[in-house]
Amino acid sequence: MQLVILGAPGAGKGTFSQSIKKYKQFTHIATGDIFRKHIKDQTDLGKVASTYIEKGKLVPNDLTDDLIFSELNLVKKDFILDGYPRNLDQAKKLDEMLRELKIPLTACVSLSIEQEVIVDRLRSRVVCSNCAYSYNLKTAPTKTKGICDNCGGKLVHRKDDSPEIVTHRIQIYERETEPVINYYEEQGKLLEIDCGEIDFVTQIDEIWSLLLEREVKV
Ligand code: AP5
Ligand code: MG
């Protein structure tokens, strides 16, 4: 099963990907996490990407497309793309890549959420500096304060979670990424989930059944 997860900053793309892994051994390909790893390791890509990410801007398409193509080439199937595509050009590029690799996309899961909820969630979000798992100091804390449940790594706040940068990321999402939702709707691939008032973590069995039905149709 091959999935694209769309959603505003803080909608829960990372959390959804963590939750759905209990049903299948998905490879979680999260562009933001990969860029942050490059930044931590001070690679050439990391140095370029950090100048965009710290301002809340999108990293240029050519760099991002190449990164995804090499990831897809390695995994071939059963992956979750979290944070890619993020504009129409990336969405068209992804279709080309999947055609070339002969991999069908099962569905695009779009997580919809109110803006006020986002700002509040990101203020209390912490992420693992090692494995990139996402937690929330208010709603989803770790068993031991400051330590990741998944790998024992140290938890940190993300630099781009400051309120001004979050506002800018939301604007970019509305302008660049929202059109991608229609793109997948027109292809009959869209599965929209409200993850604001109702916590999708409690709906995950139902979502999984819907995804299995889509998999049969592909
Ligand atoms: P990226 O890391 O992808 O950031 P984002 O899209 O802004 O999304 P986040 O990771 O902030 O949020 P999330 O939806 O994963 O939420 P989470 O699960 O953590 O990208 C960062 C940057 O990299 C971009 O700004 C850009 O510069 C660059 N980049 C990345 N991809 C790119 C691309 N394709 N092209 C160009 N540039 C690119 O949840 C948030 C919080 O809410 C957590 O605390 C969590 O515990 C809590 N929470 C989640 N779900 C729920 C729920 N259902 N109920 C209650 N709490 C919840
Ligand atoms: Mg994320």
Side-chain angles (χ1 to χ4, degrees):
M1 182 182 292
Q2 292 69 240
L3 304 175
V4 159
I5 312 293
L6 290 182
K13 301 182 291 298
T15 307
F16 177 86
S17 306
Q18 285 164 215
S19 311
I20 207 90
K21 275 190 203 167
K22 74 174 173 183
Y23 302 100
K24 205 178 189 79
Q25 289 255 309
F26 283 107
T27 303
H28 179 205
I29 305 172
T31 35
D33 294 347
I34 299 173
F35 285 136
R36 281 185 288 279
K37 172 87 170 61
H38 277 274
I39 293 171
K40 194 173 158 202
D41 296 344
Q42 300 188 329
T43 66
D44 289 342
L45 174 61
K47 284 176 195 156
V48 178
S50 72
T51 62
Y52 294 92
I53 293 178
E54 283 175 14
K55 295 187 193 111
K57 293 181 174 171
L58 294 187
V59 177
N61 284 352
D62 53 345
L63 296 177
T64 313
D65 295 338
D66 286 352
L67 183 80
I68 289 298
F69 191 63
S70 41
E71 292 288 330
L72 293 183
N73 244 317
L74 288 175
V75 295
K76 308 266 195 253
K77 62 171 196 155
D78 294 334
F79 54 77
I80 304 176
L81 279 176
D82 159 356
Y84 184 93
R86 246 176 159 98
N87 56 35
L88 281 175
D89 285 336
Q90 290 185 5
K92 288 173 190 161
K93 193 78 192 175
L94 176 62
D95 276 350
E96 272 175 40
M97 292 184 218
L98 295 177
R99 260 196 305 275
E100 193 176 327
L101 297 167
K102 298 191 171 53
I103 311 171
L105 182 69
T106 313
C108 165
V109 179
S110 171
L111 306 177
S112 59
I113 188 169
E114 301 288 322
Q115 190 163 325
E116 306 83 73
V117 184
I118 297 176
V119 177
D120 191 47
R121 275 188 190 175
L122 292 183
R123 201 174 289 137
S124 46
R125 169 173 64 185
V126 281
V127 295
C128 176
S129 55
N130 181 46
C131 74
Y133 261 50
S134 194
Y135 300 93
N136 195 287
L137 296 174
K138 283 198 215 158
T139 56
T142 48
K143 291 189 192 95
T144 311
K145 197 177 165 195
I147 304 291
C148 175
D149 288 343
N150 184 47
C151 76
K154 189 177 164 229
L155 301 184
V156 292
H157 284 282
R158 271 173 44 179
K159 268 191 183 172
D160 60 348
D161 277 349
S162 70
E164 314 81 68
I165 303 294
V166 168
T167 306
H168 190 56
R169 284 162 57 201
I170 294 171
Q171 285 165 353
I172 296 216
Y173 174 78
E174 288 171 348
R175 195 177 66 220
E176 304 267 337
T177 314
E178 279 186 349
V180 179
I181 300 175
N182 294 338
Y183 181 82
Y184 285 113
E185 187 166 29
E186 282 164 13
Q187 290 190 8
K189 298 271 183 197
L190 191 68
L191 179 62
E192 271 200 294
I193 294 167
D194 183 342
C195 58
E197 286 177 27
I198 306 163
D199 188 338
F200 69 64
V201 174
T202 59
Q203 298 171 283
I204 201 84
D205 287 340
E206 196 186 324
I207 297 169
W208 179 244
S209 308
L210 293 172
L211 289 172
L212 283 176
E213 282 172 24
R214 302 279 177 120
E215 192 179 33
V216 174
K217 282 189 205 151
V218 167

